[in-house]
Amino acid sequence: MHMSFNSISVLLPIYNAEKTLMRTLKSLAAQTLTPLEIIAIDDGSTDQSIEILNNFAKTAPCKVQIIQQKNQGASAARNVGIAKAKGYWLAFIDADDTWHPEKLAQTHKALQENKAQFLAHNFVRMHANGATETVVCDQRFNPNKPALPQLYLGNFIATSTVVVQTKLLQQAGGFNKNYTLSGDWDMWLRVLQQPHVKLYMLDKALTFKVAC
């Protein structure tokens, strides 16, 4: 594993995302803090996603590792990326989401300043009619109380906002592929069950998510 504290792997699972993928990739290329690598796992797409990925990789500002597999779902795809990641940190993004250009720089700074191993932040939900709303996740978390009991009461962590130590994901055993709706919540709970893990909720909206 690449052990530099500054190194960040970006994990991007993809399934038939040709309509949104280039927008996502452009937001990764625009980061003011360049990641060590982008790990893109194509989960059996039947559209033009792999062609878009290959073209992006030719001019990307960092290494792009493209992995193709039969369709197994997002959790299985993320587990492949976790196993391959070489960065000290791992940041998640979905193929229909985008990041603010300062996303990696600001989250890395916040992790360092707050001596945290696990970070999430607010996000902007974008609706089909053009309306937007900021989802303020950090207000559901009291930093003066233990994180784990609070997270048991409900999931306030959006996957595309997470930056976490890669080794914590690996030690937790990855995502449970049997969960289709709450696999991320289960993963964050198991990360926090490990000793000496501090969660920091950053009061900034640095991810833009398309409303379902």
Side-chain angles (χ1 to χ4, degrees):
M1 178 178 290
H2 193 286
M3 292 307 294
S4 169
F5 180 83
N6 295 321
S7 61
I8 303 174
S9 296
V10 176
L11 202 164
L12 171 63
I14 299 158
Y15 179 68
N16 288 345
E18 64 180 7
K19 293 181 180 179
T20 60
L21 180 57
M22 183 50 69
R23 183 181 64 203
T24 300
L25 293 171
K26 285 181 177 179
S27 82
L28 300 184
Q31 291 300 301
T32 58
L33 176 61
T34 303
L36 172 71
E37 61 183 353
I38 298 168
I39 306 173
I41 303 95
D42 181 76
D43 192 38
S45 295
T46 56
D47 63 0
Q48 298 299 306
S49 293
I50 194 67
E51 286 80 2
I52 294 170
L53 274 174
N54 285 328
N55 287 332
F56 171 77
K58 295 174 183 177
T59 58
C62 65
K63 177 183 177 182
V64 180
Q65 184 176 177
I66 300 172
I67 301 167
Q68 290 181 272
Q69 65 180 29
K70 294 180 179 178
N71 181 250
Q72 300 175 53
S75 291
R78 289 183 180 123
N79 286 344
V80 171
I82 291 168
K84 297 283 187 180
K86 294 181 173 62
Y88 185 92
W89 303 101
L90 196 148
F92 292 91
I93 189 168
D94 290 333
D96 57 353
D97 296 339
T98 56
W99 283 347
H100 186 283
E102 287 284 319
K103 148 81 177 195
L104 290 181
Q106 292 197 27
T107 54
H108 183 267
K109 180 181 179 182
L111 283 160
Q112 188 171 15
E113 290 180 345
N114 293 280
K115 296 181 173 58
Q117 297 79 38
F118 183 11
L119 178 147
H121 54 74
N122 303 334
F123 64 91
V124 176
R125 182 178 286 129
M126 302 182 297
H127 297 273
N129 62 3
T132 62
E133 61 175 318
T134 299
V135 180
V136 186
C137 305
D138 73 292
Q139 290 186 357
R140 297 174 59 187
F141 174 67
N142 184 341
N144 297 315
K145 296 182 178 180
L148 186 58
Q150 296 182 70
L151 192 61
Y152 270 123
L153 297 176
N155 187 21
F156 48 82
I157 296 173
T159 302
S160 285
T161 74
V162 168
V163 184
V164 61
Q165 281 187 5
T166 302
K167 69 177 183 180
L168 295 178
L169 298 165
Q170 295 169 341
Q171 290 167 181
F175 289 82
N176 188 329
K177 294 183 288 185
N178 295 321
Y179 290 117
T180 56
L181 296 177
S182 57
D184 54 347
W185 187 10
D186 170 74
M187 179 78 260
W188 314 143
L189 288 169
R190 285 186 285 115
V191 167
L192 287 174
Q193 285 169 357
Q194 298 177 69
H196 312 299
V197 176
K198 179 181 178 180
L199 170 66
Y200 182 74
M201 295 296 296
L202 179 62
D203 183 18
K204 293 184 179 180
L206 300 172
T207 293
F208 302 87
K209 296 180 64 65
V210 176
C212 299

